[in-house]
Amino acid sequence: VGVVEKSGIIDGSSVRIGDALVGIGSSGPHSNGYSLIRKIIDHSGQALDSEFGDSTLGETLLAPTRIYVKPVLNIIKQFQVNALAHITGGGLLENIPRVLPRNTRAVIDSDSWQRPAIFDWLQEQGNVEAREMYRTFNCGVGMVVVVPEAQVDQTLALLEASGENAFVIGAIHASDNDEPEVSLEGLAS
């Protein structure tokens, strides 16, 4: 078992106003939201073996969860990482605030990445409100890395060299609210 120096712990306390939110693409819903997914499938009447893109609906929904350990460890070794948020149950809206300090707000532009078609299908077939999609699902962002703005280009380059689909999804802003929060821009209902 390795020991980490206190200065090496990534606990979100280093997050600063202006830091960038770098999203790493997901492979699909991962293992979250399946109670809702099941209801949507039942409501849609669509068979799991029906065509969906280059695959079937069932294979698309059950794509294996991406594991981000290697690329994230590479970033941590080479750059200043102020926070990490694995986007699991609770989606972007509940996971990101857990890693932010008080009086901060993660402002996310939902148009800053290409949301995989499976999430559009789930929203349409289930008549799910836009904000609820981002609370329940990762919507194509499986991990968020918070880095200083000056390191964005290098972080993106390293992630892309590791075979990851990475993109800037937003930035950290000041907030009058004591508790950290997320605001979404560009939402279509």
Side-chain angles (χ1 to χ4, degrees), residues 21-120:
L21 301 165
V22 174
I24 305 175
S26 71
S27 54
H30 290 176
S31 23
N32 301 296
Y34 277 91
S35 295
L36 178 57
I37 290 171
R38 178 65 186 194
K39 290 178 184 176
I40 292 170
I41 290 169
D42 289 346
H43 175 76
S44 76
Q46 193 160 347
L48 291 175
D49 62 355
S50 61
E51 283 187 31
F52 192 89
D54 295 337
S55 189
T56 66
L57 178 60
E59 289 170 339
T60 302
L61 287 168
L62 295 175
T65 300
R66 290 194 63 77
I67 305 299
Y68 303 102
V69 173
K70 288 182 182 179
V72 169
L73 285 176
N74 283 337
I75 293 169
I76 292 169
K77 287 177 187 173
Q78 296 185 45
F79 303 114
Q80 179 180 335
V81 173
N82 293 335
L84 294 165
H86 190 206
I87 310 305
T88 59
L92 291 161
L93 298 181
E94 293 180 11
N95 286 284
I96 294 174
R98 294 177 185 155
V99 302
L100 299 180
R102 294 180 173 286
N103 300 105
T104 59
R105 177 171 49 108
V107 177
I108 296 175
D109 179 359
S110 64
D111 292 328
S112 62
W113 73 95
Q114 180 66 44
R115 190 167 85 165
I118 192 61
F119 296 107
D120 295 334

Side-chain angles (χ1 to χ4, degrees), residues 7-22 72 75-76 79-85 96 98-101 144-151 155 172:
S7 63
I9 296 174
I10 300 172
D11 62 3
S13 62
S14 299
V15 171
R16 298 291 176 255
I17 305 308
D19 281 356
L21 301 165
V22 174
V72 169
I75 293 169
I76 292 169
F79 303 114
Q80 179 180 335
V81 173
N82 293 335
L84 294 165
I96 294 174
R98 294 177 185 155
V99 302
L100 299 180
V144 175
V145 183
V146 182
V147 297
E149 176 64 33
Q151 294 180 0
T155 301
I172 302 298

